[in-house]
Amino acid sequence: MRLLVDMDDCIAQWTSRFDELVVELGFQELGVKTTAEQIETEVVFDKFHGLTPEVSARVLEEIFNRDGFYRNLEPISGALDALAEMVAEGHDVTLLTAPWQGSYSCASDKYAWVDEHLGREWTYKTILTNDKGRVTGDVLYDDRPAVRGAEYAEWTQVYFSAPHNAGLPGLRISDWADWREPLKFLYDSGRRVG
């Protein structure tokens, strides 16, 4: 089976690092909210909600475009083991991630993260694209509610649970130890897999 796995907030802790930098750089004083604060206002995943263009540009420059931001993310618990298990069980696994277009270092940071945490061979199994629907596969593990290209994709999305996708219908896992469960469901229900 061809399994596609997103990076940010699926196997790498993007949100927690963003929140740390919001506090560290004093952006809360400018109206930037951490994820916990966004959950209270029910506007999750829109890091620029209610911000002026000047503040948004500053956040982009100092966090999203920060050299090393993507490279220095911590792995999500159990994710690296799950990837190794997927491969050991014979699945064709590809990392599928959308780069931040305004960042000169995002793409190289992501490849460096993969090399450091998974090994050089995984860099050859990593695809950076802003249109994930163009990549063929059976299943995409991704936290994002509106994956670009999902409407014409061949894969079935499995949500990696996060505040910004809570309550949305669909298959999901909350822990990487459960990565096999959606595959069993798809197989048992007769949906196209493998």
Side-chain angles (χ1 to χ4, degrees):
M1 186 175 304
R2 181 133 195 241
L3 306 180
L4 309 171
V5 181
D6 178 47
M7 288 181 66
D8 300 330
D9 280 337
C10 276
I11 63 169
Q13 295 184 14
W14 188 96
T15 295
S16 62
R17 183 62 182 140
F18 175 86
D19 289 348
E20 288 171 2
L21 288 171
V22 165
V23 173
E24 183 181 311
L25 298 171
F27 282 155
Q28 288 173 306
E29 297 167 14
L30 300 175
V32 180
K33 294 179 172 50
T34 63
T35 302
E37 293 166 328
Q38 284 188 333
I39 290 169
E40 289 176 14
T41 61
E42 297 183 12
V43 182
V44 184
F45 210 70
D46 182 358
K47 301 300 182 190
F48 302 101
H49 180 76
L51 301 179
T52 66
E54 295 79 20
V55 172
S56 296
R58 189 166 166 203
V59 170
L60 280 171
E61 186 57 38
E62 294 190 39
I63 296 182
F64 286 49
N65 296 343
R66 183 185 199 101
D67 284 346
F69 174 73
Y70 294 90
R71 180 182 190 150
N72 296 317
L73 302 177
E74 291 295 321
I76 288 179
S77 178
L80 305 182
D81 290 337
L83 292 172
E85 291 169 4
M86 291 172 183
V87 171
E89 292 181 21
H91 298 289
D92 178 7
V93 183
T94 300
L95 300 180
L96 185 60
T97 185
W100 182 255
Q101 294 294 356
S103 171
Y104 292 111
S105 67
C106 177
S108 59
D109 277 356
K110 286 181 179 251
Y111 281 117
W113 188 95
V114 170
D115 187 23
E116 178 180 339
H117 294 284
L118 293 164
R120 178 63 47 94
E121 67 279 0
W122 277 89
T123 63
Y124 299 105
K125 299 186 327 178
T126 301
I127 298 173
L128 275 67
T129 180
N130 282 312
D131 186 350
K132 294 180 180 178
R134 292 177 178 242
V135 180
T136 59
D138 297 303
V139 172
L140 168 66
Y141 293 90
D142 202 318
D143 65 298
R144 192 169 183 91
V147 174
R148 185 171 180 203
E151 65 275 13
Y152 51 81
E154 295 178 10
W155 39 256
T156 298
Q157 182 173 353
V158 173
Y159 288 113
F160 189 77
S161 290
H164 50 268
N165 65 38
L168 294 176
L171 297 171
R172 69 179 56 245
I173 60 169
S174 298
D175 187 301
W176 278 109
D178 300 327
W179 68 267
R180 293 173 189 87
E181 295 307 312
L183 304 183
K184 290 177 192 171
F185 172 80
L186 291 169
Y187 181 80
D188 291 345
S189 67
R191 292 177 60 185
R192 182 187 168 273
V193 290

